[in-house]
Each structure stands twice: as C-alpha cells, then as structure tokens.
C-alpha cells in the first residue's frame, strides 16, 4: 500500500520509498525500499530544483507518520447579559 507525496515539504525522515525514484530519462536516483533521511530528502529537493519539476514520490503507508488529530471544535458558550 502506497501513498503519493506531491509536496516535497511533506517528506520526513523515516519514510520509505515504495517505488524507484527515477529521472525523466529513466535513471534511477533512489531505489524503492530506501528509508529517507535528511540527506536523501535534501538530494530529492535538489534534484527537483535542477530538473525544474517536482517528482511524485510513492511512499509506503506503513512508514508514514500518523495523521495529526483534528483540533477540538471550539465550543462557544454565550452568556446572556442582564
């Protein structure tokens, strides 16, 4: 099971590539199965800058951090003024 990451700022250390990351010419830049760390995330960002496009990365869902819980709904209590 994979999830696509389109915004590189969402990459986090510990995520695992589900598929190879390849250049537009087919050159494998990072093989599937690689666990991202700060260095590999920087490499991906630098590649995107040089290529002028953001690659779509497929990340293993079981390596993604849990979604942040939704903030509690604000309960507004109105007190009638005399």
């Amino acid at each position: 099971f994979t999830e696509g990451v389109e915004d590189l700022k969402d990459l986090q250390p510990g995520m695992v590539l589900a598929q190879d990351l390849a250049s537009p010419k087919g050159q494998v830049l990072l093989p599937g199965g690689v666990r991202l760390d700060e260095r590999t995330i920087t490499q991906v960002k630098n590649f995107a800058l040089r290529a002028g496009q953001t690659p779509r990365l497929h990340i293993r869902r079981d390596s993604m951090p849990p979604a942040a819980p939704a903030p509690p709904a604000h309960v507004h209590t109105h007190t009638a003024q005399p």
Side-chain angles (χ1 to χ4, degrees), residues 1-2 4 8-9 13 15 18 21 23-24 27-28 30 36 49 53-54 62 65 69 71-72 76 82:
F1 301 107
T2 69
L8 298 183
K9 71 176 175 49
M15 290 180 166
L21 172 61
S23 72
Q27 177 186 5
V28 175
L30 290 172
L36 299 178
L49 286 172
Q53 64 184 27
T54 301
D62 61 358
H76 180 70

Side-chain angles (χ1 to χ4, degrees), residues 2-81:
T2 69
E3 185 151 331
V5 174
E6 295 181 13
D7 194 336
L8 298 183
K9 71 176 175 49
D10 293 334
L11 294 178
Q12 296 182 27
M15 290 180 166
V16 177
L17 288 181
Q19 299 177 0
D20 291 349
L21 172 61
S23 72
K25 295 180 180 180
Q27 177 186 5
V28 175
L29 304 171
L30 290 172
V34 165
R35 183 172 303 275
L36 299 178
D37 58 21
E38 293 294 341
R39 185 179 65 82
T40 53
I41 292 170
T42 299
Q43 288 175 331
V44 171
K45 290 178 179 178
N46 288 340
F47 164 74
L49 286 172
R50 285 192 309 271
Q53 64 184 27
T54 301
R56 181 171 174 86
L57 301 173
H58 296 274
I59 304 294
R60 285 183 29 189
R61 277 200 189 130
D62 61 358
S63 72
M64 296 184 76
H74 179 67
V75 178
H76 180 70
T77 55
H78 179 70
T79 307
Q81 299 291 326

